[in-house]
Amino acid sequence: SSGINAEYGGTGILSFLVTWYIIPQLSHLFLSASLAGKDLNKRNNDYRVPEGIGVVAGAIYLVCLFCMIPFYVLHSRGTVSETTSLSLYLSALLSICCMILLGFADDVLNLKWRHKLLLPTIASLPILMVYYVTYGNTTIVLPLFPHLFRVPFIDLGVFYYVYMGMLAVFCTNAINILAGVNGVECGQSIVIAVSILLNSLLNLNTECWSDHMFCLYLVCPFIGVSFAVLYYNWYPSKVFVGDTFCYFAGMTFAVLGILGHFSKTMILFFIPQIFNFILSVPQLFRMLPCPRHRLPRLHAEEDKLVMSTVRFKDSDLNILGRICLVILPPLGLVKVTRNDDEYITISNLTILNVILRAVGDTHERTLTVYLL
């Protein structure tokens, strides 16, 4: 109805305004707590930028969803039982809240990668358990195989829960990996969230409209807070979102995909992140050397970003690394320079470097626009 549509839009606008107003008011607290860093891709970077502002956006998002609980329960009458409806909503809040807490802990404590893989798995348990006791459907439709083997669907059983748990891990870390340039974290999150919004609006007249109404309740405030954060995180960035926002955004998408029953469609919205992850695998799994920061580096004289590189000895490569250096260069995904008989320099394996390799050195703001 028009009243419900106005409610969705109102929550998005209100969450945007509150976040837009609160961030400048709280930025000095992050500076005084030494939660700040330098913007490495600026000519004059002797100033400190507040870091971890994603926790502000996450807190405002949660407050907004708490205030919407009565409206959600009232609008859910006549679709599923009120208890089931409320349990879905509260489990979503619990998982997102848990991930915001763990993300902020990562910003403060600088957790190791093995912890970053474990924490989303733990945070996804509430939604997985609620999914089990409310729906429990583990059957998927195969789009191609019915014509070949006359099998319209397949029941994955416990493996479907493994897949959904892996989806939560992937969503949170995929956004975190594709970062390091002003506006990229927020920008890609907004693109994915708007895709989810359009998908839900297009399916409101289908038999699964209640699932998409649930998604609208969660995605509209998220779009609002993300636009507000992007306002301050756009070039030149006044704040850094930190790992908190990446985890917060990723878990929100995982919740929407799992409880909204379009976890397979959700993967389509992550195609750039999937490409970036697959491309990063040789470095993430140490087939090739991986520096701490793989973001593009600044060419100060031209104020443009160039591909970041890593230099290593040829003798340090294992067999998998050598295979990667045979396959990737012809595909245009990596630039390899042999300095002499002993050392090799390669561009870091990220989608940002691939874009720079395709279009040439470019301004940081322009690179973000190309990606989005």
Side-chain angles (χ1 to χ4, degrees):
S1 67
S2 59
I4 295 179
N5 292 333
E7 185 177 299
Y8 294 148
T11 57
I13 294 173
L14 182 62
S15 60
F16 167 81
L17 293 175
V18 173
T19 309
W20 179 82
Y21 174 77
I22 289 293
I23 287 178
Q25 308 301 319
L26 299 181
S27 294
H28 70 280
L29 297 178
F30 289 81
L31 292 174
S32 60
S34 296
L35 287 174
K38 288 186 176 181
D39 197 337
L40 300 178
N41 288 329
K42 300 295 182 295
R43 287 177 174 177
N44 301 316
N45 60 357
D46 54 348
Y47 58 93
R48 300 168 69 214
V49 180
E51 192 169 5
I53 292 294
V55 71
V56 177
I60 295 173
Y61 176 78
L62 289 176
V63 170
C64 183
L65 292 189
F66 288 148
C67 295
M68 291 173 62
I69 291 176
F71 301 99
Y72 176 75
V73 173
L74 290 174
H75 291 157
S76 299
R77 286 185 174 181
T79 56
V80 294
S81 70
E82 295 180 21
T83 302
T84 300
S85 172
L86 186 59
S87 64
L88 291 172
Y89 195 90
L90 294 181
S91 66
L93 286 179
L94 180 59
S95 290
I96 295 172
C97 182
C98 181
M99 207 64 243
I100 292 173
L101 173 63
L102 297 175
F104 190 64
D106 187 17
D107 280 331
V108 175
L109 303 176
N110 195 20
L111 301 177
K112 297 182 179 180
W113 266 106
R114 61 175 177 269
H115 300 138
K116 296 181 181 182
L117 297 177
L118 177 63
L119 298 180
T121 306
I122 298 174
S124 66
L125 287 177
I127 56 175
L128 294 181
M129 292 300 98
V130 169
Y131 182 90
Y132 174 77
V133 300
T134 54
Y135 296 104
N137 184 17
T138 58
T139 301
I140 62 172
V141 178
L142 300 178
L144 298 177
F145 286 92
H147 304 288
L148 299 177
F149 301 104
R150 301 181 184 275
V151 180
F153 54 84
I154 182 172
D155 187 359
L156 296 180
V158 68
F159 294 104
Y160 190 71
Y161 292 93
V162 174
Y163 160 73
M164 290 191 291
M166 293 175 63
L167 177 67
V169 175
F170 171 76
C171 288
T172 52
N173 286 284
I175 294 178
N176 196 21
I177 293 174
L178 183 50
V181 177
N182 290 174
V184 165
E185 297 96 327
C186 295
Q188 63 179 307
S189 299
I190 290 174
V191 171
I192 296 172
V194 170
S195 301
I196 295 171
L197 174 67
L198 295 176
N199 178 68
S200 296
L201 290 174
L202 292 174
N203 285 280
L204 282 180
N205 294 324
T206 62
E207 61 182 10
C208 55
W209 66 271
S210 61
D211 296 330
H212 293 284
M213 187 184 74
F214 167 82
C215 292
L216 289 176
Y217 268 95
L218 268 65
V219 78
C220 287
F222 178 82
I223 293 175
V225 300
S226 296
F227 266 112
V229 175
L230 181 63
Y231 177 84
Y232 295 105
N233 188 236
W234 192 254
Y235 182 93
S237 180
K238 302 178 183 63
V239 298
F240 292 151
V241 297
D243 291 340
T244 307
F245 183 86
C246 299
Y247 290 158
F248 157 51
M251 183 53 69
T252 301
F253 297 146
V255 166
L256 291 170
I258 294 172
L259 298 184
H261 299 94
F262 60 96
S263 58
K264 297 179 291 297
T265 304
M266 180 67 72
I267 293 297
L268 298 178
F269 300 148
F270 274 82
I271 289 178
Q273 288 77 14
I274 293 174
F275 174 78
N276 185 65
F277 172 75
I278 295 175
L279 180 61
S280 300
V281 162
Q283 286 190 308
L284 295 179
F285 290 91
R286 305 299 176 180
M287 302 176 196
L288 294 171
C290 182
R292 176 172 176 78
H293 296 292
R294 301 189 301 155
L295 66 158
R297 58 185 179 85
L298 177 68
H299 189 283
E301 294 181 358
E302 298 182 0
D303 195 22
K304 291 183 177 180
L305 295 185
V306 300
M307 292 186 295
S308 61
T309 59
V310 59
R311 187 170 182 263
F312 53 89
K313 286 185 177 182
D314 185 27
S315 57
D316 292 339
L317 282 180
N318 55 31
I319 184 63
L320 294 177
R322 297 183 185 279
I323 292 174
C324 291
L325 292 186
V326 171
I327 297 175
L328 296 178
L331 299 177
L333 300 178
V334 62
K335 180 179 180 181
V336 180
T337 304
R338 295 188 179 274
N339 306 102
D340 48 45
D341 295 336
E342 187 177 3
Y343 286 92
I344 300 177
T345 300
I346 65 171
S347 57
N348 285 310
L349 301 177
T350 68
I351 192 173
L352 294 174
N353 273 347
V354 171
I355 294 175
L356 288 172
R357 181 171 172 79
V359 303
D361 301 347
T362 186
H363 192 271
E364 183 174 359
R365 178 174 51 238
T366 307
L367 178 60
T368 302
V369 172
Y370 281 151
L371 177 65
L372 300 183

